[in-house]
Amino acid sequence: IQSLYLGRQVFSVWRERYEEMFPLVETLINAPKGSVGITTSSTAAQGAIAAAIQPTTQRNRIIITDLDFASGRYLWSAQVHRGFNIIEIKATDGIQIAAADVIAQIDDRVAIVAVSLVSYLNSARLNIKPIIEAAHAVGAIVVLDAYQAVGVIPIDVLSLNVDVLVGGMNKWLCGSMGLAFAYVKPSLAEQLNPVYPGWF
């Protein structure tokens, strides 16, 4: 309410608070300076990445799982309209995704492996390291949704060697809705052309 009343006078204060978040998130996930962006939701962050990657006849598959958060699954599934094929890995016991089941589907036709580190349904944790290694071995990128993990599970994006990691503030970080972040590996960021660039 105060910001509505003060209008543009509060902009400088808002910008200071906004810019304070970048090094805090970078420290939390051990990300290099300048590799984290702030957005309104993890789905928006994933959408920005999805829009910047085009399918080709040789590489047009996206792997997801049935334990991923619903809005992420909707977003990645919608990429069929752009020419991607979606491969959904099922939890064999209805509880846990086996890393081996994901790896078995990774080949040189896969562009993106978009999975959740921790399932929102039951807190099952995915063994992500071998999946990242398998994806990189065939030239695919990994978009890891860590929304349910960040703040409670230590995350080191450099050690994981993950390409993209998204998370949000209102779970274990005890923040508010409408604040999320995305880490993008600097070498990948150099290759991507954002479709929807903006001021911040």
Side-chain angles (χ1 to χ4, degrees):
I1 293 175
Q2 181 183 15
S3 63
L4 291 173
Y5 176 74
L6 294 174
R8 291 181 62 86
Q9 296 174 45
V10 80
F11 179 77
S12 61
V13 176
W14 173 84
R15 187 166 180 174
E16 277 182 31
R17 299 292 85 78
Y18 184 77
E19 291 178 352
E20 282 176 1
M21 288 192 292
F22 293 96
L24 292 172
V25 174
E26 289 165 354
T27 299
L28 179 66
I29 62 173
N30 193 34
K33 182 175 172 49
S35 63
V36 167
I38 304 296
T39 186
T40 55
S41 71
S42 63
T43 308
Q46 291 174 80
I49 298 299
I53 298 172
Q54 301 300 320
T56 67
T57 52
Q58 294 81 25
R59 196 178 289 276
N60 62 2
R61 292 187 171 187
I62 298 173
I63 294 177
I64 62 175
T65 85
D66 66 348
L67 294 186
D68 298 331
F69 190 66
S71 63
R73 291 176 63 229
Y74 298 153
L75 179 130
W76 292 111
S77 296
Q79 303 313 303
V80 296
H81 304 297
R82 298 178 53 229
F84 282 104
N85 294 318
I86 308 304
I87 310 298
E88 184 178 77
I89 309 299
K90 306 285 188 187
T92 52
D93 55 5
I95 297 173
Q96 180 81 44
I97 299 292
D101 290 345
V102 179
I103 292 168
Q105 294 296 324
I106 297 175
D107 57 28
D108 57 9
R109 295 169 293 178
V110 174
I112 303 165
V113 178
V115 293
S116 294
L117 181 57
V118 172
S119 173
Y120 80 106
L121 287 170
N122 61 15
S123 301
R125 183 174 177 179
L126 185 62
N127 182 12
I128 192 61
K129 188 78 170 174
I131 294 171
I132 293 171
E133 291 170 356
H136 289 172
V138 297
I141 70 164
V142 176
V143 178
L144 185 60
D145 182 348
Y147 207 112
Q148 311 296 325
V150 68
V152 69
I153 294 174
I155 295 173
D156 183 332
V157 294
L158 297 181
S159 175
L160 284 175
N161 195 26
V162 69
D163 302 288
V164 177
L165 183 133
V166 301
M169 309 299 187
N170 73 309
K171 291 286 183 172
W172 302 109
L173 296 181
C174 302
S176 64
M177 297 288 286
L179 277 178
F181 64 86
Y183 156 79
V184 181
K185 186 190 293 185
S187 60
L188 175 62
E190 290 174 3
Q191 301 172 41
L192 299 179
N193 292 314
V195 177
Y196 305 109
W199 183 7
F200 293 104

